[in-house]
């Protein structure tokens, strides 16, 4: 287990400082900056600070999600790793431990992406945030039409969400689903890149991002159920379980089942004798 962890950490260290990772993280930071900066201006204008729970709506924003998951596909696109040292690692560790090291890597990088998103929000909103378990005057006292148009803030905040969820609940849901969907994209990339070819996972993840973009123009119920990127959004999930929108437990259960299934497939496939080192690498 120690050798697996060491290999996973080496993957993290080698990739986290790569130009590809830095470029992808900058994309996410810029997207959060573009959505967060107008909020700081409006906060100064009306004299109210912003509850940190607003991060749930920024992460749920269509533009932020689109940029974020394009960056995520970019980050996970080259899994499983195929640099020359992998041959030695597989021979020494075995295929099962090698693929398990990739799983640990995906978990760490997913958590790191979430951490970068949170830090970017806090830096952009510095001096304008507070935390309590009520939404406060900044959001609740401003009509939605004024908030999204006259203020110059391009951010959708639905009043029924504010009435249904407290800030801690909205933020918790967003962070939990953020992690699972990041893991889902990572799992798809490595599984289909391994089983089919090095572009298959990228193509499937690209289709999922495209489905998210389509949902903005045609917000049908079917697309909401089929687009994992939208499952993060507190504006789309039905927490009262009384509409045709996806209920809160649907994306949670489906994402866990798919992620677990994909990694079981990875473990089975890499143990087969028919899967040679040449095909893995």
């Amino acid at each position: 287990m120690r050798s697996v962890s060491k290999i996973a950490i080496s993957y993290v260290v080698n990739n986290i400082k790569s130009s590809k990772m830095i470029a992808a993280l900058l994309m996410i930071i810029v997207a959060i900056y573009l959505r967060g900066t107008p909020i700081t201006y409006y906060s100064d204008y009306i004299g109210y600070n912003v509850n940190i729970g607003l991060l749930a709506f920024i992460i749920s924003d269509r533009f932020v999600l689109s940029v974020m998951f394009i960056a995520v596909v970019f980050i996970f696109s080259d899994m499983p790793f195929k640099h020359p040292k992998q041959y030695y690692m597989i021979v020494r560790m075995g295929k099962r431990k090698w693929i398990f090291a990739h799983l640990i890597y995906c978990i760490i990088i997913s958590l790191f992406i979430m951490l970068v998103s949170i830090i970017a929000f806090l830096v952009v909103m510095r001096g304008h945030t507070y935390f309590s378990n009520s939404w406060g005057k900044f959001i609740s006292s401003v009509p939605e039409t004024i908030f999204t148009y006259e203020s110059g803030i391009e951010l959708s905040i639905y009043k029924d969400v504010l009435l249904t969820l407290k800030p801690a609940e909205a933020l918790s849901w967003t962070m939990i689903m953020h992690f699972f969907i990041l893991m889902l994209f990572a799992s798809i990339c490595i599984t289909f890149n391994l089983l089919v070819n090095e572009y298959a996972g990228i193509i499937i993840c690209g289709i999922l991002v495209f489905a998210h973009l389509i949902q903005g123009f045609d917000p049908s119920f079917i697309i909401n159920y089929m687009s994992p990127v939208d499952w993060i959004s507190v504006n789309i999930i039905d927490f009262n379980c009384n509409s045709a929108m996806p209920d809160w437990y649907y994306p949670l259960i489906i994402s866990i089942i798919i992620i677990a299934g994909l990694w079981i497939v990875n473990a089975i496939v890499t143990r087969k004798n028919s899967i040679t080192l040449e095909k893995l690498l």
Side-chain angles (χ1 to χ4, degrees), residues 28-121:
I28 297 172
I29 292 169
V30 169
I32 292 174
Y33 173 82
L34 292 175
R35 284 295 182 260
T37 301
I39 297 174
T40 63
Y41 297 153
Y42 195 64
S43 174
D44 291 333
Y45 175 72
I46 64 175
Y48 297 134
N49 282 344
V50 178
N51 192 302
I52 197 172
L54 187 71
L55 175 60
F57 292 98
I58 290 182
I59 295 296
S60 298
D61 178 71
R62 183 161 304 283
F63 168 73
V64 174
L65 283 176
S66 299
V67 173
M68 180 178 293
F69 279 91
I70 290 172
V72 166
V73 174
F74 191 42
I75 290 172
F76 292 123
S77 62
D78 59 349
M79 291 195 306
F81 299 121
K82 297 183 178 181
H83 53 76
K85 290 183 180 179
Q86 296 300 301
Y87 187 94
Y88 169 76
M89 290 179 182
I90 296 173
V91 171
R92 184 175 180 180
M93 298 170 57
K95 298 174 187 176
R96 185 173 61 179
K97 289 183 178 179
W98 177 74
I99 203 69
F100 189 55
H102 280 77
L103 172 59
I104 296 175
Y105 168 82
C106 292
I107 293 172
I108 294 174
I109 292 300
S110 296
L111 292 172
F112 181 70
I113 293 170
M114 292 173 60
L115 180 62
V116 169
S117 302
I118 294 170
I119 292 175
F121 171 79

Side-chain angles (χ1 to χ4, degrees), residues 28 117 119 149 169 203 209 227:
I28 297 172
S117 302
I119 292 175
Y149 296 106
E169 294 170 336
I203 292 171
V209 175
S227 173

